[in-house]
Amino acid sequence: LNLRMGGSADPLEVNGSLAMTGARFTETVSGIVLDDIFGTLNYTRNGLDAIDLPANYKGYPVSIDINSNWDAEEVFRASIQGDLPVHTVVPEELQRLEPLFARATGTSHWDVDVSVASVDGSEKRETWLEVSSGLEGVSIDLPAPLEKPPDASWPILVRYPIRAEDNIMTASISEHVQLKMELSKEDSRPVRAAVELGGEVQELPEAGLFNVHGSCESFDLDRWVDLAI
């Protein structure tokens, strides 16, 4: 901590570091909890910084990066990398409200990011959860064209709104499919959803509807109808 005496116009300087041994980190908005953190967290007057810290996430070893800059548009980002079972990275609300997410099983390498950023035209900041993986080691027990064996690579990116004006979750699996789903801000229940096979969703249907568009080599309509009913 450096302070200037008298009438100096120089800004206050704060520089330091925190050595962590078995520490815990909790992101209160998303509910993500990391245990057994070891390493050094550096801090200044403008933010925090930590790279490649070993930690424990839901009982599995991971590494974490933490970066914050209070003056930037993205004021905070925490990144988790590790080999994790798929059920540990799917938000619990989605697992509870949409049984189809339970049809993905197995372990793969995942990158999980929680970010807090400013939004143009709004005084409020938004919090998003981003999850990505190649899905090697994960099988998906869904009808064609979304049936996936564990050895196939299907790069996936999921953006889940934790606190956002447009409460829309997006899940994109390589060139295979994109899902967009509006979630209720009260209880995270699905409001409406659309799936585009082989492309990107252009618009969502009316509330209460689930639309499927696009084209693919095969589509198991009978099994999809069984799941819907």
Side-chain angles (χ1 to χ4, degrees):
L1 176 63
N2 295 324
L3 297 174
R4 299 296 183 183
M5 301 296 290
S8 172
D10 291 338
L12 172 68
E13 294 183 15
V14 178
N15 294 280
S17 61
L18 176 66
M20 296 182 290
T21 304
R24 164 176 282 199
F25 169 81
T26 302
E27 208 293 308
T28 56
V29 177
S30 65
I32 288 180
V33 178
L34 296 166
D35 291 306
D36 300 328
I37 304 173
F38 290 82
T40 301
L41 176 69
N42 300 306
Y43 60 87
T44 68
R45 181 171 178 264
N46 296 321
L48 307 170
D49 182 69
I51 303 295
D52 198 24
L53 302 181
N56 186 291
Y57 178 61
K58 295 186 177 180
Y60 296 90
V62 296
S63 65
I64 62 173
D65 301 333
I66 298 174
N67 181 266
S68 66
N69 185 338
W70 313 132
D71 296 326
E73 290 188 2
E74 184 178 88
V75 297
F76 177 83
R77 177 175 289 266
S79 301
I80 306 168
Q81 305 89 34
D83 295 334
L84 299 166
V86 65
H87 71 269
T88 64
V89 297
V90 177
E92 293 182 1
E93 294 87 350
L94 288 182
Q95 296 184 61
R96 179 172 54 87
L97 298 172
E98 180 46 73
L100 290 181
F101 285 99
R103 291 179 172 266
T105 58
T107 298
S108 185
H109 185 82
W110 294 87
D111 293 299
V112 181
D113 295 273
V114 177
S115 64
V116 180
S118 302
V119 179
D120 292 340
S122 175
E123 296 181 356
K124 297 181 179 180
R125 292 168 175 162
E126 294 190 347
T127 303
W128 286 83
L129 174 68
E130 294 184 357
V131 179
S132 61
S133 174
L135 292 186
E136 295 94 342
V138 171
S139 61
I140 301 178
D141 181 23
L142 287 173
L146 296 184
E147 186 175 21
K148 177 192 175 299
D151 56 345
S153 176
W154 284 20
I156 184 173
L157 173 63
V158 178
R159 297 192 74 242
Y160 182 82
I162 297 173
R163 180 181 292 167
E165 182 64 28
D166 294 326
N167 214 41
I168 297 175
M169 183 200 73
T170 303
S172 303
I173 302 180
S174 187
E175 73 279 1
H176 298 284
V177 64
Q178 185 182 73
L179 163 69
K180 282 193 175 182
M181 178 183 293
E182 182 179 354
L183 305 172
S184 167
K185 292 185 178 181
E186 284 72 32
D187 57 11
S188 296
R189 291 183 180 276
V191 175
R192 52 181 180 160
V195 167
E196 185 72 24
L197 300 172
E200 297 182 352
V201 175
Q202 299 302 313
E203 61 180 4
L204 290 173
E206 296 179 2
L209 296 180
F210 184 3
N211 287 353
V212 179
H213 295 92
S215 61
C216 56
E217 293 183 358
S218 63
F219 188 86
D220 192 337
L221 179 60
D222 291 337
R223 286 189 63 198
W224 280 111
V225 170
D226 290 342
L227 285 176
I229 296 176

